[in-house]
Amino acid sequence: MTQRLAFLASDRPEAQTARERLVQRYGEHPLDQAEVVVALGGDGFMLETLHANLDAMVPVFGMNRGSVGFLMNDFGEDDLPARVAAADEAVIHPLQMDAVTVAGDRTGGLAFNEVSLLRQTRQSAKLRVSVDGRVRMDELICDGALVATPAGSTAYNLSAHGPIIPLDARMLALTPISAFRPRRWRGALLSHGAEVAFDVLEADKRPVSATADSTEVRRVARVEVRERRDIALTMLFDANRTYHERVLTEQFAG
């Protein structure tokens, strides 16, 4: 059966060229009429595509025309409908970020990878960390901290020495970024239903920004993070290199 495909591409020339060739070969449909979205770019563009697809919630099959491409399949023009039909599904849920600034302004955002807090100046951030309404750390002195989804655990979280989480583990990673005190704290694994809150201590002296994927809020005073199980998007991966296999391989990489 012929699939209704929509093709989206990043601004990179190689992605735009690939889109033109694929559209000419397979045709295309508008996003609201498509059965599958084919995203052409890197991991950053995959995140953009997922955000753009929140209303339609159409499965996304990515092909790497960027740099890292951990969330993307290898690029190939041949037999695309067959690859898509045989693809393995990986269902992901985003995080909800609710940030309050020092001035009292409120901003929300969704993150498929992570919600991160980062110091804005040369001075370290001071954070109070609470889980499910209970203070778990009175003072974390650090460059920042993040809460990562399983899908995002191989991104910034991994670079900050956080754990890799299988997609079906129903867990979140709470990971410090360059922790100074307590120096040996490496973070925590939390239930996917946990609600995490960061209170910024000395917010005027030590300003902190919060970011949910591409949504950034400056000079925050408090940030609350929780998983949105009511939002479920599907990424498609080639059957011979599923997301689960990628995560397992990453854990044994040198």
Side-chain angles (χ1 to χ4, degrees):
M1 184 176 75
T2 302
Q3 295 160 319
R4 298 194 300 273
L5 304 177
F7 293 92
L8 301 178
S10 71
D11 293 334
R12 295 175 69 118
E14 56 267 43
Q16 291 292 323
T17 299
R19 182 185 182 280
E20 292 174 5
R21 292 174 61 90
L22 290 169
V23 168
Q24 184 177 23
R25 185 166 181 175
Y26 298 107
E28 71 167 337
H29 291 79
L31 183 60
D32 61 357
Q33 298 176 20
E35 295 174 305
V36 174
V37 175
V38 178
L40 303 164
D43 287 348
F45 186 70
M46 172 59 84
L47 293 179
E48 291 180 26
T49 302
L50 292 172
H51 281 279
N53 191 32
L54 279 169
D55 291 332
M57 292 193 180
V58 178
V60 180
F61 183 89
M63 287 199 289
N64 190 19
R65 292 284 83 187
S67 51
V68 178
F70 185 85
L71 299 177
M72 314 299 274
N73 297 290
D74 293 335
F75 178 76
E77 296 183 24
D78 297 334
D79 302 320
L80 182 57
R83 287 177 66 187
V84 171
D88 183 76
E89 294 186 353
V91 178
I92 60 173
H93 304 279
L95 298 174
Q96 173 73 42
M97 176 188 77
D98 293 302
V100 181
T101 68
V102 173
D105 298 323
R106 295 178 178 271
T107 301
L110 293 177
F112 289 98
N113 263 4
E114 76 278 321
V115 172
S116 60
L117 283 75
L118 291 170
R119 64 186 176 100
Q120 292 181 210
T121 67
R122 60 180 176 82
Q123 290 186 301
S124 298
K126 287 187 177 182
L127 307 175
R128 180 186 300 122
V129 183
S130 302
V131 179
D132 293 331
R134 180 178 175 182
V135 175
R136 291 292 180 176
M137 187 166 289
D138 288 313
E139 185 177 86
L140 171 62
I141 303 176
C142 55
D143 280 355
L146 62 84
V147 179
T149 66
S153 67
T154 57
Y156 192 7
N157 172 71
L158 182 58
S159 298
H161 306 291
I164 296 176
I165 306 174
L167 202 62
D168 56 358
R170 290 177 170 251
M171 303 186 80
L172 303 175
L174 168 56
T175 303
I177 301 170
S178 300
F180 180 67
R181 289 288 188 275
R183 192 183 300 273
R184 292 182 176 82
W185 188 62
R186 292 293 181 262
L189 283 171
L190 306 175
S191 164
H192 71 97
E195 297 187 5
V196 183
F198 300 96
D199 289 295
V200 180
L201 308 178
E202 302 179 26
D204 289 327
K205 180 182 178 182
R206 302 170 183 270
V208 171
S209 66
T211 303
D213 285 352
S214 60
T215 300
E216 183 184 26
V217 185
R218 308 282 284 181
R219 301 188 70 86
V220 295
R222 181 178 173 87
V223 177
E224 298 174 351
V225 184
R226 59 185 174 86
E227 189 184 57
R228 291 285 301 272
R229 297 296 293 185
D230 58 316
I231 301 176
L233 293 184
T234 301
M235 294 189 296
L236 301 175
F237 293 92
D238 283 322
N240 63 345
R241 194 163 174 258
T242 67
Y243 185 85
H244 298 280
E245 176 61 27
R246 294 169 194 230
V247 168
L248 191 60
T249 299
E250 190 70 29
Q251 294 182 81
F252 288 91

